[in-house]
Amino acid sequence: MASIYNNYSSDTICAIATAMSDAGIGIIRVSGSDAVDICDKIFVSPKKQHTLKDHEANTIKYGFVCDGDTIIDEVMISFMKGPYSYTREDVIEINSHGGMLIMNQIMELLIKNGCRLAEPGEFTKRAFLNGRIDLTKAEAIMDIISAQNNFALESSRMQLQGKISDCIKDIRKKIIYEMAFIESALDDPENYDLTGYPEKLDGIVDNLSEEIRKLVDSANEGKIRKDGIRTVIVGKPNAGKSSLLNALTGDERAIVTNIAGTTRDIIEETVRLGDIILHVIDTAGIRDTDDVIEKIGVDKAKKAVEEAELVLYILDSTDVFSDEDKEIASLCKDKKTIVLLNKNDLENDIKITDDIVRMHFSEPDDKELPIISTSLLKGDGLDDLKAAVSDLFLNGEIAPKQEIYITNLRHKDLLEKALESLSLVKDSISKNISEDFYTIDLTSAYEFLGEIIGEEIGDDLVEEIFSKFCMGK
Ligand code: GDP
């Protein structure tokens, strides 16, 4: 049980656990001490010979949900007796037909007979508060449901298996050992000698910080792999921006035309480059114009570049490198940018080469600017684009290398706070400050890490975290 949490309500809750749409089967979940009694009021077995109370735990029974003498639906009911259930309370799951109307009628019946409609995430919150899972595992359950790619799914699975909690618990164990040692030495100086201890602690804190730092470092890559990269496609009208988007989405959603400035508004698409997700904003192109509608597009494009993590800058290689191009190039400054020299199939007309691009882009300390030759008409160059994105964001590794990645911002923030506290311990050591000060900052680090797994967490945060869950989970 989360130590500081006071808001536990033990009333019996119900919710539709399956999707809110018509389907073959729907599952309604009921959890709480009155789950069996309430369901008994609405469940009738075929020969009316059983009540749910008589059913063995972990069995599934066939019968009917009835409102008085009226049969509402033909169902299967499973019963998991607490503490051997998802929430550790008595849990009943009603497998009914999956129509929204029928499921809502069953829900109304349950509520009429004493259930309360569950809040989002309340089943998982109870599992957490009853000590069945820690907070990282509860969060992993949500992440498994919302995973959008294999990486997100796999890292959530690892988290649910306890890889992150184990790691955090291990670090906390080492910290509390030192805290206990210092306390003991201060209480009982005759038996515990602190001579030479600060130097030893300094080394221990270095190692702990290194372990935490690795987790923090994994967060940037973890986020990119899980959530994708905010990407903007820029370039003059007709360079091939819509064609790129179409090549990536594999359909004709963006209207491709050769009339300058037709793609006036911003189109946002989520596309996959292998297992990397790009949230691509296609813009109207960036150029000075008096046309009011077009101007809106241009302003949006400039703003989109500011907000993007990756800029894909398309140049029509059969055109000249104009002032507009220079202006666009200047917008890309300080952004991770990949230049696509498009229309390479028109090889006889090429006017812009890699060298010309570099000349206009180069800063004295410019990193190697990735320049890719493409024919978006033919779909050529997309593999090179994938490699370039992976070079820029994933150290060239397409597949994840580590077992554990931090993908949750809450975890990352707390890890950083723990690091900060450990650095204060080192400060105190270097300044020869007395040992009891070490404990203060070691305790903070211990508590920040505890918040990750939910051991040092207050009501508000518990409410906030679980409110983001979906209904019925
Ligand atoms: P946007 O205005 O930047 O979105 O450019 P579009 O994608 O609409 O492309 C403008 C025109 O260039 C269209 O007629 C495309 O078919 C053509 N186009 C795009 N990419 C290529 C390419 O690689 N080779 C050739 N030959 N034409 C292309």
Side-chain angles (χ1 to χ4, degrees):
M1 166 95 65
S3 53
I4 321 176
Y5 193 81
N6 297 311
N7 276 356
Y8 190 81
S9 58
S10 56
D11 50 350
T12 299
I13 51 174
C14 65
I16 297 172
T18 39
M20 294 288 179
S21 60
D22 294 345
I25 290 171
I27 298 178
I28 293 165
R29 192 181 246 177
V30 183
S31 178
S33 50
D34 295 334
V36 176
D37 286 345
I38 293 172
C39 290
D40 253 340
K41 291 187 196 159
I42 66 165
F43 177 71
V44 180
S45 67
K47 291 183 185 158
K48 301 192 177 166
Q49 78 277 47
H50 288 305
T51 64
L52 286 169
K53 265 198 205 76
D54 304 327
H55 286 325
E56 229 176 281
N58 304 321
T59 56
I60 187 153
K61 296 291 163 200
Y62 168 75
F64 302 92
V65 166
C66 296
D67 185 4
D69 293 334
T70 313
I71 293 181
I72 302 293
D73 200 9
E74 192 176 2
V75 298
M76 301 285 281
I77 286 199
S78 48
F79 170 41
M80 286 135 290
K81 183 148 186 57
Y84 306 107
S85 68
Y86 185 69
T87 56
R88 284 211 165 154
E89 302 171 329
D90 285 353
V91 171
I92 284 187
E93 285 181 5
I94 305 172
N95 288 239
S96 67
H97 289 104
M100 283 313 298
L101 199 54
I102 190 102
M103 286 197 289
N104 279 332
Q105 282 189 3
I106 297 173
M107 285 290 292
E108 277 169 25
L109 259 184
L110 285 167
I111 290 167
K112 201 167 84 181
N113 283 284
C115 275
R116 167 172 66 76
L117 182 64
E119 291 159 14
E122 197 169 0
F123 294 92
T124 311
K125 183 164 87 177
R126 288 184 174 196
F128 162 63
L129 293 173
N130 287 326
R132 199 178 78 80
I133 49 173
D134 70 24
L135 202 49
T136 63
K137 291 183 183 176
E139 289 171 317
I141 290 167
M142 192 58 211
D143 288 346
I144 282 180
I145 295 169
S146 61
Q148 294 294 316
N149 61 9
N150 289 331
F151 171 82
L153 185 58
E154 188 53 23
S155 61
S156 315
R157 264 196 215 120
M158 289 292 159
Q159 193 169 318
L160 184 58
Q161 285 168 25
K163 301 274 181 201
I164 291 179
S165 345
D166 289 350
C167 205
I168 300 294
K169 283 179 193 159
D170 185 54
I171 300 173
R172 288 185 97 213
K173 212 162 86 187
K174 292 174 190 162
I175 295 177
I176 206 164
Y177 179 87
E178 300 309 320
M179 286 158 59
F181 180 80
I182 299 169
E183 291 291 333
S184 311
L186 294 174
D187 286 351
D188 184 7
E190 281 175 19
N191 287 312
Y192 294 91
D193 185 8
L194 281 174
T195 318
Y197 177 72
E199 293 72 37
K200 188 178 156 214
L201 181 64
D202 196 57
I204 292 169
V205 168
D206 277 345
N207 292 342
L208 290 170
S209 303
E210 179 60 29
E211 278 184 64
I212 298 175
R213 163 96 36 226
K214 266 195 201 139
L215 292 174
V216 172
D217 287 348
S218 78
N220 292 338
E221 189 181 326
K223 185 179 178 304
I224 295 284
R225 288 191 187 274
K226 179 184 169 209
D227 298 334
I229 304 167
R230 239 172 311 122
T231 306
V232 64
I233 301 175
V234 294
K236 280 189 304 199
N238 271 329
K241 297 179 298 298
S242 310
S243 305
L244 173 63
L245 194 59
N246 289 335
L248 291 170
T249 50
D251 62 25
E252 292 285 319
R253 246 178 254 165
I255 310 151
V256 181
T257 121
N258 56 3
I259 304 163
T262 45
T263 325
R264 282 198 158 122
D265 219 332
I266 284 181
I267 305 167
E268 192 176 317
E269 293 276 355
T270 296
V271 299
R272 274 164 218 275
L273 256 182
D275 216 18
I276 305 171
I277 295 176
L278 301 183
H279 302 286
V280 181
I281 304 160
D282 181 22
T283 68
I286 299 175
R287 56 179 203 153
D288 287 329
T289 170
D290 293 332
D291 180 314
V292 179
I293 302 171
E294 181 114 326
K295 184 104 178 93
I296 296 168
V298 171
D299 288 345
K300 280 189 186 171
K302 285 187 178 168
K303 194 157 171 23
V305 170
E306 276 165 31
E307 285 169 11
E309 294 163 303
L310 168 66
V311 180
L312 299 178
Y313 177 15
I314 308 191
L315 284 156
D316 179 344
S317 58
T318 66
D319 204 349
V320 288
F321 200 99
S322 62
D323 287 345
E324 285 173 65
D325 288 314
K326 283 182 202 160
E327 196 192 329
I328 299 173
S330 73
L331 283 179
C332 302
K333 238 175 98 189
D334 305 326
K335 284 280 162 190
K336 288 189 172 169
T337 302
I338 299 172
V339 175
L340 283 78
L341 278 184
N342 192 32
K343 308 196 184 182
N344 68 10
D345 52 294
L346 304 174
E347 50 197 54
N348 294 330
D349 300 322
I350 302 283
K351 298 192 184 74
I352 307 179
T353 60
D354 285 20
D355 289 341
I356 294 177
V357 176
R358 281 191 205 289
M359 207 169 73
H360 290 288
F361 259 87
S362 285
E363 300 280 317
D365 57 349
D366 193 16
K367 55 190 176 340
E368 276 289 286
L369 178 73
I371 302 175
I372 294 167
S373 169
T374 61
S375 168
L376 295 170
L377 193 67
K378 295 180 173 175
D380 286 352
L382 294 179
D383 281 345
D384 292 340
L385 177 61
K386 182 159 91 181
V389 173
S390 143
D391 278 346
L392 280 182
F393 288 89
L394 304 170
N395 296 322
E397 301 281 345
I398 299 277
K401 272 201 320 241
Q402 293 168 224
E403 193 178 40
I404 302 178
Y405 283 92
I406 298 295
T407 55
N408 184 313
L409 201 59
R410 191 183 74 82
H411 301 172
K412 186 188 174 205
D413 286 348
L414 289 163
L415 286 164
E416 280 172 341
K417 286 182 179 157
L419 263 186
E420 181 63 32
S421 301
L422 290 182
S423 80
L424 294 177
V425 177
K426 278 182 73 72
D427 266 5
S428 302
I429 296 173
S430 71
K431 289 178 187 151
N432 283 324
I433 296 176
S434 83
E435 281 85 3
D436 42 356
F437 277 89
Y438 307 164
T439 344
I440 297 173
D441 295 314
L442 284 172
T443 307
S444 308
Y446 183 79
E447 286 177 355
F448 285 133
L449 295 172
E451 265 188 61
I452 296 179
I453 52 178
E455 279 192 18
E456 310 274 347
I457 188 167
D459 294 9
D460 292 357
L461 212 58
V462 171
E463 300 299 342
E464 193 196 313
I465 290 168
F466 286 97
S467 67
K468 292 185 192 127
F469 275 52
C470 46
M471 277 309 268
K473 195 62 221 172

